[in-house]
Amino acid sequence: MLKAGFAPGSEFLWEFNYTVLWDGTQRRYREEVDPGFDGDLDAGIPYCASGTPGCDADYDYFARPKSVHDAVTRASHSGRIGKPLLTVQGTLDTLLPIEVHGDAYADAVRGQGRGALHRYYRIEGASHLDLEYDMFPDRMRPLLPCMRSAFEALERWVDGHRQPPRSATIPRQTTGDVVNTCSLSRPST
């Protein structure tokens, strides 16, 4: 799992994600881009064992028809943004691991020469869902307050009032009102 890009330290979230999120999420997205893979089934067979006919565990993207690859290309992000964009992602995100999603997207934006339009806030100790914070408040921080701060910063940016703080990895807040506050600026050291 770590070799696939999941963050070290996120292991305690894997069981929850396996039982609640991963299987259903990947089957629904696969159904959108390749509905013909499993015939008349709607989003495949939950938790099927490899070898089961039409099982997503045996899905081979590279063997799928060109139409599937075209659908993925249409849904892919190139990084060529044209308007201000803020990305906020938890470093413990186990639905969309930050290394292969947020970090890669920020690299793509910079690679397209659009870095001045983008801010990327990596929130230490947050995941994809705040439900996980509710389950493990001693190990995590909620993402929602950072999302609120980001929306407010984006609003000020597009209204021409001021640019948001520079992209940064925001340390895990462990004191104060962590459920309602999040500063997008790195604290001074």
Side-chain angles (χ1 to χ4, degrees):
M1 297 287 286
L2 296 174
K3 287 181 182 178
F6 288 83
S10 68
E11 294 88 346
F12 69 99
L13 297 169
W14 296 354
E15 181 64 27
F16 168 77
N17 277 266
Y18 174 74
T19 58
V20 176
L21 297 173
W22 291 339
D23 181 72
T25 299
Q26 80 82 29
R27 284 184 298 102
R28 282 189 296 277
Y29 278 90
R30 194 270 311 142
E31 184 73 21
E32 285 296 314
V33 298
D34 191 359
F37 171 73
D38 58 3
D40 291 336
L41 291 175
D42 184 20
I45 305 163
Y47 301 103
C48 57
S50 181
T52 304
C55 181
D56 283 84
D58 297 321
Y59 188 80
D60 182 356
Y61 171 74
F62 298 104
R64 300 306 296 155
K66 183 180 182 316
S67 61
V68 172
H69 294 260
D70 292 345
V72 170
T73 297
R74 284 190 305 276
S76 296
H77 298 288
S78 68
R80 190 168 171 77
I81 60 174
K83 306 238 185 286
L85 174 69
L86 278 79
T87 301
V88 179
Q89 186 170 9
T91 59
L92 297 179
D93 192 329
T94 47
L95 182 60
L96 302 171
I98 195 166
E99 179 183 312
V100 294
H101 292 277
D103 293 355
Y105 187 67
D107 289 345
V109 170
R110 283 190 300 273
Q112 291 286 337
R114 306 297 174 115
L117 289 172
H118 187 232
R119 297 295 187 276
Y120 178 38
Y121 304 108
R122 303 169 91 256
I123 310 301
E124 285 188 348
S127 187
H128 197 84
L129 303 171
D130 280 353
L131 170 63
E132 294 165 307
Y133 167 74
D134 294 341
M135 295 164 52
F136 303 103
D138 57 325
R139 297 185 188 182
M140 302 182 70
R141 69 145 309 135
L143 190 62
L144 182 59
C146 301
M147 298 297 289
R148 287 182 181 133
S149 295
F151 280 120
E152 291 167 0
L154 181 61
E155 184 177 46
R156 288 188 298 272
W157 195 10
V158 298
D159 284 346
H161 298 296
R162 71 179 154 171
Q163 290 196 4
R166 296 168 55 105
S167 297
T169 299
I170 308 302
R172 179 175 165 227
Q173 181 180 341
T174 57
T175 60
D177 188 2
V178 300
V179 173
N180 294 302
T181 62
C182 176
S183 172
L184 298 178
S185 298
R186 265 190 85 69
S188 302
T189 54

